Amino acid sequence: MNKKQLIKALSSYQLWLIVGLIIIILIGVGAAYIMLKQSQSSSIPSSTQTTSSSVSTTNSPQYSFLVFTQKGIAEIINPSSTTPFQGYTHSINISTNVPQQVYWWVEYPFENAAQSRYYLIPVNNGTVYAIDANSLKIVKEFNFGNSIGFIGVAYSPSQQLVAVADGPSGILALINVSSLNVLWEQHFVSPVNGRTYYPCDVRWSPDGNYLIVPMRFNNSVDLIALNGSLIKVLPTAAGSQPYMVSPNMQGTMVAVEYVGNNSVGFYSLPSLKLLGILQMPNGTIPQRGVFTPNGDYYLEAPSNANQVFVISTSTFQIVKTIDLPTFSVKGLADIELMPGGQYAYVVIHGNVQSGGIIALISVSSLTVSSYVPLSTAPAVIIPVQNQVATYLVDNVLLPPVTGLHC
C-alpha cells in the first residue's frame, strides 16, 4: 500500500469511528431519556394508590371525644389512637352527688360534629352551663331545677337552638345558642296534684320543625312546636312510663323506650300511629337507642346489661346482639351516632371508682370496632373534629399526667 492509499484508508477509518461514536452517544441519550420517563412515572402515585389511602383514612374515625367526667374534668379522647388520652383540664363538677349513679345526656345532629360557639352542659341538679368552645370556661349558668334526676340538652339540626328537658322540675325550655337567651320555658305538671310529668328526654324532628318529648309520669309522648305550643299527644298505656325517644333520620318513625313494661314501641311520624312493639328479653330494661342512618335497624342500649340489641325496623324483632366489653358496673348510659353515621358510640358511665367505657360500633358490620376504658366515670360526651381536639390539646388542656385526670 503506497502513502496515498494509506492516507485514504485512515481517513475512511476516522470517519467510521466518528460515526460510531455519534451512534453510541445517541443510543445512550435515548436510553437515559427512557429511564428518566420510567422513573418519573413510577414516582407519581397512581389513582388506585390515592383511593386506597383515602378509603383507609375514611374507615377510621375522623373525630375525637370531648369528655366531661363526673369529677369535673374535661378531657380529649381520640378513639383511633394507641394513646387515646390526649389532655385534660378542670372544668366544673358535673355530678353533685358522687358516687351516686346519675343520668344526663347531650345530643348533636349526627351529620356534623359540634360547631356551636358554646357547649351547653347539663348537670344533674337542674343546672345547665354554657361553656365557651375555645377556652372551656363557663360563661353563663341556667337554673331549671334543683332536684337530682334526668336532665339533658339536644341541639337542633342547624345547631342554632338547644332544647332542654329537666325531668324532676317538669321543665322544657328552648335556648338560642348565639345569644344564650331562653326563648321560652314551660312547666309540665299535673293540674290535679302538681306532680311533674317528668319530661325525661327531648329530641328534634330531623327537619327541625318540632320537638318530640316523652312525659314519663303522664304516660304520653308529645309533639311540641318551636313556639312551645302542643301539636299532638300520643297517649300510652297506664304505667308504661315512656322514658326516651329517638326519631329516624328520614323523619318517618320514632322509637319510644318504655320502662314501666320494659318494651320499645315504634310509631310513624308525625301521625304517631303504632307500627310495632318489642318486649325486651331476659328482664333487660330499655333506656336509649338510635336508628342506623338508612333506617333499617334500631340499636337499643339497655340500662342493666352490657349489650346492644339490633332491632329490625321491618319486623320489629331482635336480629342480633352485640356484646360489649365485660365491665363490673353493668348498664349503658347513652348511645348516639358519630358524625357521618359510620359509627355509633356507646357510653358506659360506670362510677368514679371503677371508671367507664366508650365503645365504637361499626354501623356497616354491626360489631364493636374499638373501645376506650376511662379512669373515671364519663358524664357528657361530645364528638369534635380532630382539628378542634388538636387546638384544645395544644392551647387549653394540660398534657396527660398519671393520676391527675382521675
Side-chain angles (χ1 to χ4, degrees):
M1 182 181 295
N2 56 33
K3 184 176 181 181
K4 186 175 181 180
Q5 290 175 328
L6 180 61
I7 293 172
K8 184 177 180 181
L10 289 173
S11 299
S12 176
Y13 174 77
Q14 289 174 343
L15 177 63
W16 283 108
L17 181 61
I18 292 171
V19 170
L21 288 173
I22 292 174
I23 292 173
I24 291 172
I25 292 172
L26 289 175
I27 292 173
V29 170
Y33 176 76
I34 292 172
M35 292 176 64
L36 179 63
K37 290 290 288 182
Q38 290 177 338
S39 174
Q40 288 176 339
S41 298
S42 63
S43 66
I44 299 174
S46 67
S47 59
T48 303
Q49 290 172 319
T50 303
T51 303
S52 174
S53 173
S54 174
V55 169
S56 175
T57 302
T58 303
N59 285 341
S60 61
Q62 298 299 298
Y63 301 91
S64 298
F65 292 111
L66 174 59
V67 179
F68 291 88
T69 73
Q70 289 188 27
K71 281 192 172 181
I73 302 298
E75 59 187 23
I76 290 292
I77 300 295
N78 185 336
S80 59
S81 172
T82 55
T83 54
F85 178 65
Q86 305 290 302
Y88 76 98
T89 187
H90 185 269
S91 178
I92 187 66
N93 288 334
I94 300 298
S95 178
T96 58
N97 60 333
V98 171
Q100 180 181 328
Q101 178 64 70
V102 291
Y103 298 92
W104 55 116
W105 39 264
V106 174
E107 193 256 349
Y108 279 86
F110 88 99
E111 292 90 345
N112 297 298
Q115 296 176 336
S116 300
R117 180 181 174 185
Y118 303 107
Y119 301 128
L120 270 67
I121 306 299
V123 184
N124 68 330
N125 62 355
T127 302
V128 174
Y129 291 105
I131 295 179
D132 186 279
N134 294 318
S135 66
L136 298 186
K137 301 296 184 183
I138 297 172
V139 296
K140 189 169 183 177
E141 178 180 334
F142 302 90
N143 297 111
F144 295 107
N146 53 19
S147 300
I148 303 300
F150 278 82
I151 183 173
V153 303
Y155 281 72
S156 67
S158 67
Q159 298 194 33
Q160 298 302 307
L161 300 171
V162 163
V164 181
D166 181 56
S169 68
I171 287 179
L172 185 70
L174 195 64
I175 298 175
N176 182 301
V177 181
S178 299
S179 63
L180 294 180
N181 290 330
V182 177
L183 301 180
W184 52 260
E185 177 181 316
Q186 289 204 43
H187 293 241
F188 291 88
V189 296
S190 169
V192 177
N193 55 23
R195 184 188 186 192
T196 172
Y197 284 165
Y198 216 98
C200 285
D201 190 15
V202 59
R203 285 294 186 262
W204 290 81
S205 65
D207 59 13
N209 287 339
Y210 58 90
L211 304 173
I212 309 169
V213 185
M215 301 291 180
R216 180 178 179 181
F217 295 144
N218 190 44
N219 294 311
S220 69
V221 176
D222 297 1
L223 303 187
I224 298 174
L226 298 191
N227 61 4
S229 62
L230 193 63
I231 299 174
K232 190 176 182 64
V233 175
L234 168 68
T236 63
S240 60
Q241 297 187 39
Y243 197 55
M244 297 282 169
V245 294
S246 295
N248 65 2
M249 315 311 160
Q250 295 73 28
T252 58
M253 187 184 300
V254 62
V256 181
E257 278 80 13
Y258 292 105
V259 293
N261 54 23
N262 290 350
S263 64
V264 183
F266 295 87
Y267 302 86
S268 61
L269 279 177
S271 64
L272 296 179
K273 177 183 177 182
L274 178 63
L275 300 175
I277 195 161
L278 169 75
Q279 188 69 38
M280 293 289 286
N282 305 320
T284 51
I285 301 172
Q287 177 162 277
R288 168 72 76 198
V290 65
F291 285 91
T292 56
N294 61 13
D296 290 344
Y297 301 103
Y298 187 70
L299 310 181
E300 175 60 49
S303 64
N304 60 342
N306 290 344
Q307 295 175 312
V308 172
F309 297 111
V310 181
I311 302 171
S312 166
T313 56
S314 58
T315 64
F316 304 109
Q317 297 296 316
I318 295 173
V319 295
K320 185 175 183 177
T321 299
I322 303 173
D323 291 320
L324 296 176
T326 302
F327 197 58
S328 58
V329 181
K330 290 186 177 181
L332 310 183
D334 198 6
I335 180 170
E336 307 283 355
L337 284 180
M338 287 281 281
Q342 288 183 305
Y343 297 89
Y345 63 94
V346 179
V347 182
I348 303 176
H349 279 166
N351 59 47
V352 293
Q353 287 81 23
S354 65
I357 289 178
I358 303 174
L360 289 182
I361 294 176
S362 168
V363 170
S364 59
S365 64
L366 295 175
T367 58
V368 175
S369 173
S370 62
Y371 65 91
V372 180
L374 303 177
S375 60
T376 189
V380 172
I381 312 291
I382 301 175
V384 297
Q385 291 180 332
N386 283 340
Q387 305 94 291
V388 175
T390 300
Y391 167 82
L392 291 174
V393 170
D394 291 344
N395 298 280
V396 179
L397 306 180
L398 299 174
V401 180
T402 303
L404 289 186
H405 61 283
C406 63

